[in-house]
Amino acid sequence: QVQVVESGGGSVQAGGSLKLSCAASGYIFGSCGMGWFRQAPGKERELVSGLSKDGTTTYANSVKGRFTISQDNAKNTLYLQMNALKTEDTAVYYCAVDTEPTCVVRYWGQGTQVTVSS
């Protein structure tokens, strides 16, 4: 059974940094795409950053140059390093992994809250 567990959220002042972790198990880690999404109160869930199985990264324009997505295959963990945080980055952050064999079945974590204060 696929399990996805995020950690690393918290409260930080604007300009600060946080690193989110996403531990995934129950499937072949990295065999399909993975990514981070976020949802702020009253807003739709949006893609923050994605990592394809060939290593291609994508970022929302709002986070380019500030956030970095990475993976550690030995630990079956996806990361999101967030620097220069802004108040508008406040949201619940979700990790999502797509699973083999077709890479169309997606599993979500429970989310981790990130709050950025001014």
Side-chain angles (χ1 to χ4, degrees):
Q1 181 167 349
V2 177
Q3 292 188 318
V4 182
V5 180
E6 303 101 335
S7 62
S11 296
V12 65
Q13 288 195 318
S17 298
L18 282 174
K19 186 173 185 177
L20 304 183
S21 299
C22 170
S25 61
Y27 80 113
I28 302 172
F29 184 80
S31 59
C32 299
M34 303 176 281
W36 289 96
F37 294 74
R38 68 187 180 188
Q39 187 166 20
K43 294 189 176 181
E44 304 255 328
R45 189 173 298 190
E46 62 173 355
L47 174 67
V48 175
S49 181
L51 180 59
S52 69
K53 62 181 179 179
D54 66 1
T56 302
T57 58
T58 57
Y59 296 93
N61 287 335
S62 60
V63 307
K64 279 181 182 176
R66 301 188 297 121
F67 291 11
T68 303
I69 192 170
S70 62
Q71 67 185 97
D72 184 334
N73 289 340
K75 296 182 178 180
N76 285 8
T77 301
L78 181 71
Y79 301 100
L80 185 69
Q81 176 67 47
M82 306 186 294
N83 298 329
L85 282 160
K86 304 176 181 180
T87 56
E88 51 263 45
D89 294 319
T90 295
V92 178
Y93 283 70
Y94 297 90
C95 175
V97 299
D98 297 331
T99 59
E100 75 280 11
T102 59
C103 297
V104 297
V105 178
R106 175 166 291 176
Y107 290 84
W108 295 86
Q110 80 288 352
T112 186
Q113 176 70 47
V114 171
T115 302
V116 184
S117 58
S118 58

